[in-house]
Each structure stands twice: as C-alpha cells, then as structure tokens.
Amino acid sequence: MLTNNKNVLTWVDEMVALTKPDKVVWIDGSEEQLIALREESVAIGEIKKLNEEKLPGCYIHNTKENDVARVEHRTFICSQKEEDAGPTNNWKDPKEMYAMLTPMFDGVMKGRTMYVIPYSMGPIGSKMSKVGVEVTDSIYVVLNMDIMTRMGKDAFVQLGDESNDFVRGLHSKADIDPENRYICHFPEDNTIWSINSGYGGNVLLGKKCFALRIASYQGKNEGWMAEHMLILGVENPQGEVKYIGAAFPSACGKTNLAMLIPPDVYAKQGYKVWCVGDDIAWLRKGDDGRLWAINPENGFFGVAPGTNLKSNPNALHSTEKNTIFTNVVNNLDDNTVWWEGLDKNPPENAIDWKGNPWNGKTSAEKGAHPNSRFTAPAINCPCISSEFNNPQGVPISAIVFGGRRAKTAPLVYQSFDWTHGVFVGSIMASETTAAAAGAVGVVRRDPMAMLPFCGYHMGDYFAHWLKMGVSLGDNAPKIFNVNWFRTDDEGHFIWPGFGDNMRVLSWILDRCEGKADAVETAIGYEPNAEDINIEGLDIDVDVIRGLLDVDADLWKQDAAAIKEFYSTFGDKMPAALLDELAKLEKRLG
Ligand code: GTP
Ligand code: SPV
Ligand code: MN
C-alpha cells in the first residue's frame, strides 16, 4: 500500500471486490517497477520494443481495428438531473448507469492483474493540481499514464492522508467489445467508469475524462476553467515572454501551434516560441487579478500522420526516445516507425497498423491509421517552456479560438470585448476529423472546441465564461479567432500554416499591447492585410486580403445556423450571447 488515505483504500477495496482480479499491483512510479512492466507487456505481445539505437526506450502498440478513436456516441455524462448534462451530452441517470455497468464489471478482472495508478494532473505541489486514481487491467494504460501524468507515490503525497478530493477512475479492457463500450462520467461522484476500449482518449482517464469533463464541472463550481487549449509562450527579442491559450478541436493543429518554429524573418530578430502544453489548460484568476494557466499533463498524446521534420520538427524530436507509438507502421528493415506524411520514402518491408504485412511502395491502403498517435514525454520537447513545472502556471495575454473552415472564417479576427469573445468561441464550427469515430469532414458546431468534453450543460458553461470575464475585468485576456484551413476552388489550403502561423500570432500579441492597427468589420477587428508580415513567403498581399475577406452572405447563413444551435440550449442560453447574435445580424445588414 502506498497511502494511508482511508478514502482511497476503501474505494480500491470496493473496486477489487467488484472486478475480482487475481492480483493487485500498486504503481509507485519507480523505474524498477516500470522496467518490469515493460518487459511483461512485451512478453504478452501488447507492445513491441523498437530499435534501441535509433529509438531508445520506444515501443509500438496496435489497438483492435474497432478501437482507434474516441467514441462520442458511447460517452455519457451521468448527472442526477438530465438538464445538468445538457443537450450536447448523452445522459443517463447515475443509478441506472451504475446498475447497467456493475454486472459488466463484476468479475471482469478474473485471471488478470489490477494496477492501481495514483497520478497528479498538474505539477506536484501546485495549488492548481488535482489527484486521480485509476484502476485498470491494462499495462499499456500504466505505461501511457507514466508519460502523460505525474504518476506514482508523489501523487498520494499531493493528495494527503485525509482528503477525499480525488477522481476515481475504473477501467477494464474487458473484451474490447464495441457493442458494450461505455465511457461514463459521474461528475457529482468524482467518478469515471470506462469499459471495452484500449484506445487513448477512452482509457487514459486523466486526459479528456478527468482533465476536461470532470474538471470543467469542478471548475464551474470552484471558479476556474478547464479548457481544450494549448499554451505557448512567445519570447520577443528583448527576452519578454507573453503567453497564449488556444482552443482548436481535435486534430485541428494544437500540437503543431504549441511547438512552432518561427520563420526566418522572426527567428533572425530573436523571436522564440516555448511550449507549455499542447492539449489541455486549467485556468484560474491569480492573486494579481490576471488569468493564469497550467498544463495538467506531463506528455503529448499527439497525432502522428503529417508530423515531419518540416511541419513540426519539435514534435518529431519529442518522439525520438521513451515514446509509445500507437497504430503506426512498423518498418521491419530497421525496426523503426513510419506514418503517412513522415517522409516520401515509405518502407517496403513493413507491418501496417492492423498488423498485416505492408509495402508502402505498392499498397493502395494507408499504413498508419489517420488517428495514429505518439505518447511522448514533455521533457523531450526541444522547445519546452522553462515554466512547464511552475506551480503558479503562466499569465495568459490572449485566448485564441479556431477550427477547420474551408470558407466562412477569415485567417484571423479579434473580438470587440470579452462578451463578444465568448460569443466568438460559442459559435465555433469545424470539420470533423479522425480523432473521433464517425464521419470526417462534416462541419459541426463545436463551441470553444469543448463539444465532446464539457461535463455539464453548455448553456451553463457559456454563463461561466461570461462570469469569469466579469471577475477578470480589465485584466481579461483579449480574445481572437483564427482559421488556418481556408481552401481555394481546387480544395488546397491557401495559408501556408505551421511555422508561418507565427505571422498571425505576432499581430495578435501586437494587438494585446496596443501596437497594431485594426479594421472594424461586421464580425470583429481584422488586421490590415499589410499588417500580416509576408516577408519570405511566396504569397502576396492580395492573398492575405482574400484570406481576410468576410463574405456577408455566408455569414448570414451561418447566423441562421447559430440561431438554431442556440435554440437547443433553451432558457439556459445567456441573454448576453443572444444579444451578440442579434448585433451580428444587424451589422451584417
Ligand atoms: P488533438 O491531439 O486531436 O487534440 O489534435 P491537435 O489539435 O493537437 O492537432 P495537431 O497539431 O496534431 O494537427 C492535426 C493535423 O492538422 C495534422 O495532420 C497536421 O499536419 C494538421 N495541421 C496542423 N497545423 C496545421 C496548419 O497550420 N495548416 C494545415 N494545413 N494543417 C495543419
Ligand atoms: C483529442 O481527440 O482531442 C485528443 C486525443 O487529444 S484523445 O486523447 O483521444 O482525446
Ligand atoms: Mn485534443
């Protein structure tokens, strides 16, 4: 036993009585224990060791073919009252859900080992951090949680011997049966139950389940925010660093933006970008009245396809050691990994993500799953921020929303004020991606990139955002919206994106400091096309003008769709946002 905390011990006893494992192993986080677990995981064929010279400490894992992404249709928020989950979540009465799941968990770990994983979301010793305990029958989960969280006995020190404030996570792979797969949250009980999956977002319970769904609910009650945001710092040539939090939906560019390398025109002046986090931010008003953010995670669970030395060298370097790859290609010639978009030289003698022989030169099928991922320690990242472990977090100057929009949304615009900024976040829409099961490329509303992750009624969530703005007052960050994904008539992306997104961040920070001009449009403040630095790019200012164009007809159609979307929230929809919509319609004419 690693703790004397009776609340933990009683709960673990209950979970053991329910799932009936042959053996219970408490995870202390020691290297010795991890070495033994990696060996065991290799021995049972769950993971395979990769080339120790080329990829030291790295492993590859394949999930079942039916188990490659989050499953939103099988994800539930089980609050006492249905209206507390709201219309954007699947809801079931907690009593009914426990009653349905209990027989499924009964004896599910017979013949297996239960691993008890204590972990901290956020730096050990930070007032903003919170503790979770996950019990699981998967070594893969233990090894991933080791990278993604502060795992082991320190987490119990963080919790203390008396506290009952920890998130109880129960996970079993069971039979990986997609028909009986459930990812269930009981926000009022600080509890998550997940069964019949082995895929990241469904089973690494510290991530989306705790750090967003449960934490967003806690944040509403405790006066802070849990958001689907990267955190980055931009250092100017004088050495001052300003921090930005940016919310984009899954597979829409958070990891890439968080680690961007400024283009030459900025680099040679001395600009640098530092990564604090790539997926989740916990934000709180500090003693100085500003908004401060920590990254609750300790690693990156990043999208592999498209990651290469040109698009995101920092992410690629992060995966060069102590990384777990899931659902990528295994190159058998040198026992390394490959995925679409890594380079133009796919291996010929390889195993694809389904575990079949694969020849990248002749096969018509993709070798890596579009949602294949790497789990890499944050400390591996060449541009990891010096503030990564700072218990205070970092002060946020700007909040940026964004999504994949082929047409409507311009490259960048700024909200008129906080309330309008909350409106801008609430009307976000994006094309769906492979990060969740279901159709890809369909435009859907995804407010603040939180549609699949908000653990309570989205109308109340909007109200919470508005309240935070009142509390922050003049110290509130400025709010912006970006779109890297506008396409031309042939469907090609117009904006170069990736490192060149620095050119847009630069305007954003200049606006925060009152150093850049703007034009008032119907949707918000936009840069003058000339104020986006295009030195070194092979596009001219007219292209920028086009990217900033606001098509009133498209926006009128969008306004109608927003009205319909808003109506689903009934009387929980804050009047201030309905008012913003009316004002937008008026400005559009
Ligand atoms: P999650 O981990 O699912 O939350 O995703 P994410 O938001 O971190 O997305 P990520 O940075 O992994 O990018 C997802 C995909 O978008 C990758 O295939 C990238 O190559 C692509 N992408 C990222 N940034 C840009 C950009 O600026 N322009 C274009 N065209 N594509 C981008
Ligand atoms: C996302 O889908 O937003 C991810 C990956 O970051 S997962 O952990 O599966 O949620
Ligand atoms: Mn994400």
Side-chain angles (χ1 to χ4, degrees):
M1 243 67 80
L2 294 174
T3 177
N4 294 317
N5 186 306
K6 291 223 171 49
N7 303 305
V8 172
L9 296 174
T10 309
W11 172 73
V12 172
D13 281 348
E14 284 169 23
M15 295 304 103
V16 170
L18 173 61
T19 60
K20 305 178 178 63
D22 284 11
K23 210 169 103 185
V24 179
V25 173
W26 289 71
I27 300 296
D28 59 17
S30 67
E31 196 48 35
E32 259 176 290
Q33 190 183 43
L34 287 165
I35 289 168
L37 285 171
R38 287 182 201 116
E39 276 171 12
E40 189 179 342
S41 183
V42 168
I44 62 175
E46 186 184 41
I47 59 174
K48 178 185 170 189
K49 174 128 185 61
L50 293 163
N51 186 320
E52 180 61 23
E53 269 84 65
K54 294 190 173 171
L55 293 168
C58 293
Y59 296 84
I60 185 169
H61 166 84
N62 291 347
T63 63
K64 284 263 167 67
E65 275 180 52
N66 71 38
D67 189 31
V68 294
R70 287 180 293 99
V71 280
E72 294 177 4
H73 60 297
R74 311 200 69 95
T75 298
F76 287 79
I77 301 297
C78 306
S79 44
Q80 304 279 346
K81 293 199 221 130
E82 182 168 6
E83 67 162 29
D84 288 340
T88 57
N89 284 310
N90 301 311
W91 175 82
K92 219 175 176 58
D93 181 282
K95 274 201 215 73
E96 276 177 49
M97 189 56 99
Y98 284 129
M100 188 185 87
L101 294 179
T102 296
M104 292 169 63
F105 276 107
D106 188 1
V108 76
M109 294 193 195
K110 271 185 197 153
R112 300 184 186 184
T113 300
M114 172 190 278
Y115 303 94
V116 181
I117 310 173
Y119 62 95
S120 170
M121 297 311 288
I124 299 283
S126 168
K127 279 194 223 141
M128 294 168 88
S129 298
K130 283 188 179 272
V131 169
V133 182
E134 175 168 356
V135 297
T136 176
D137 52 10
S138 160
I139 304 179
Y140 171 79
V141 167
V142 178
L143 299 179
N144 275 272
M145 289 293 280
D146 173 48
I147 299 172
M148 295 306 296
T149 73
R150 279 87 172 172
M151 181 184 85
K153 57 182 183 343
D154 290 352
F156 279 140
V157 176
Q158 170 89 7
L159 181 65
D161 277 354
E162 306 297 328
S163 173
N164 196 24
D165 184 13
F166 68 96
V167 170
R168 295 140 167 81
L170 168 62
H171 165 249
S172 174
K173 298 178 284 188
D175 308 314
I176 316 281
D177 171 7
E179 302 303 318
N180 283 300
R181 183 169 299 152
Y182 288 96
I183 321 298
C184 299
H185 307 72
F186 305 88
E188 290 135 355
D189 301 344
N190 252 355
T191 294
I192 305 156
W193 282 16
S194 163
I195 192 161
N196 277 306
S197 175
Y199 166 75
N202 299 329
V203 301
L204 308 177
L205 300 185
K207 196 172 176 55
K208 293 311 179 14
C209 298
F210 174 178
L212 288 179
R213 297 195 190 96
I214 299 285
S216 60
Y217 170 81
Q218 295 175 328
K220 177 198 58 157
N221 294 333
E222 297 166 10
W224 53 283
M225 306 162 94
E227 299 296 333
H228 195 196
M229 282 183 187
L230 67 95
I231 309 164
L232 65 78
V234 177
E235 181 177 336
N236 70 16
Q238 292 74 49
E240 299 155 348
V241 187
K242 294 273 191 281
Y243 295 91
I244 298 175
F248 310 155
S250 302
C252 289
K254 288 182 300 303
T255 302
N256 277 271
L257 191 69
M259 300 176 192
L260 80 76
I261 294 185
D264 277 352
V265 37
Y266 288 93
K268 66 175 191 251
Q269 296 175 60
Y271 281 94
K272 294 186 183 109
V273 168
W274 301 107
C275 174
V276 181
D278 82 323
D279 198 50
I280 299 177
W282 285 359
L283 306 118
R284 208 182 263 273
K285 182 176 160 180
D287 295 337
D288 64 356
R290 290 187 293 171
L291 187 63
W292 291 71
I294 60 162
N295 169 13
E297 301 192 282
N298 201 28
F300 310 118
F301 187 60
V303 178
T307 306
N308 60 52
L309 271 181
K310 234 187 113 212
S311 65
N312 194 350
N314 284 325
L316 200 62
H317 292 315
S318 302
T319 68
E320 283 166 353
K321 58 179 183 199
N322 304 330
T323 293
I324 301 171
F325 297 91
T326 300
N327 291 339
V328 302
V329 175
N330 184 198
N331 180 348
L332 293 179
D333 285 335
D334 61 355
N335 195 24
T336 56
V337 290
W338 192 86
W339 48 77
E340 278 68 25
L342 174 64
D343 55 40
K344 296 209 167 79
N345 190 25
E348 294 173 55
N349 175 29
I351 302 282
D352 70 7
W353 73 272
K354 295 177 182 170
N356 299 321
W358 186 78
N359 181 337
K361 297 278 185 326
T362 58
S363 178
E365 283 192 37
K366 289 199 160 134
H369 188 275
N371 191 40
S372 54
R373 300 233 166 205
F374 52 80
T375 318
I379 46 163
N380 282 3
C381 182
C383 67
I384 196 72
S385 165
S386 60
E387 306 310 297
F388 175 70
N389 279 312
N390 188 335
Q392 316 295 331
V394 295
I396 298 294
S397 298
I399 287 174
V400 179
F401 296 118
R404 279 177 194 266
R405 292 303 294 272
K407 297 284 173 242
T408 318
L411 180 63
V412 59
Y413 67 102
Q414 181 187 359
S415 71
F416 296 122
D417 53 32
W418 180 275
T419 303
H420 179 236
V422 176
F423 172 75
V424 168
S426 79
I427 67 168
M428 265 172 70
S430 192
E431 294 163 23
T432 52
T433 65
V440 168
V442 183
V443 175
R444 70 168 182 186
R445 295 280 147 206
D446 188 351
M448 284 82 171
M450 283 289 279
L451 182 75
F453 307 119
C454 182
Y456 61 104
H457 195 298
M458 206 113 206
D460 292 333
Y461 170 79
F462 296 149
H464 184 51
W465 264 86
L466 293 169
K467 212 166 127 189
M468 288 295 296
V470 173
S471 163
L472 290 163
D474 289 343
N475 285 313
K478 304 279 184 277
I479 300 181
F480 299 80
N481 193 87
V482 299
N483 179 21
W484 316 139
F485 298 95
R486 267 219 197 179
T487 53
D488 61 20
D489 293 339
E490 279 90 54
H492 302 119
F493 296 124
I494 302 169
W495 175 247
F498 302 98
D500 288 314
N501 293 331
M502 176 70 196
R503 300 165 189 274
V504 173
L505 297 186
S506 174
W507 181 77
I508 286 174
L509 287 176
D510 282 350
R511 285 295 293 168
C512 293
E513 288 168 47
K515 290 199 292 209
D517 274 344
V519 195
E520 191 170 332
T521 75
I523 62 168
Y525 297 120
E526 283 200 344
N528 289 298
E530 294 77 11
D531 288 342
I532 298 294
N533 187 336
I534 50 172
E535 190 185 324
L537 286 181
D538 56 5
I539 56 177
D540 62 29
V541 69
D542 285 332
V543 174
I544 303 295
R545 212 162 274 133
L547 284 167
L548 291 170
D549 171 59
V550 177
D551 183 325
D553 286 334
L554 283 180
W555 273 91
K556 279 180 204 164
Q557 284 170 33
D558 222 38
I562 294 162
K563 194 172 267 173
E564 203 184 312
F565 181 63
Y566 271 11
S567 73
T568 61
F569 300 112
D571 55 15
K572 292 246 193 197
M573 193 63 216
L577 298 188
L578 292 166
D579 189 42
E580 287 296 335
L581 177 58
K583 288 198 283 193
L584 171 67
E585 284 178 310
K586 203 164 151 218
R587 289 192 302 265
L588 288 168

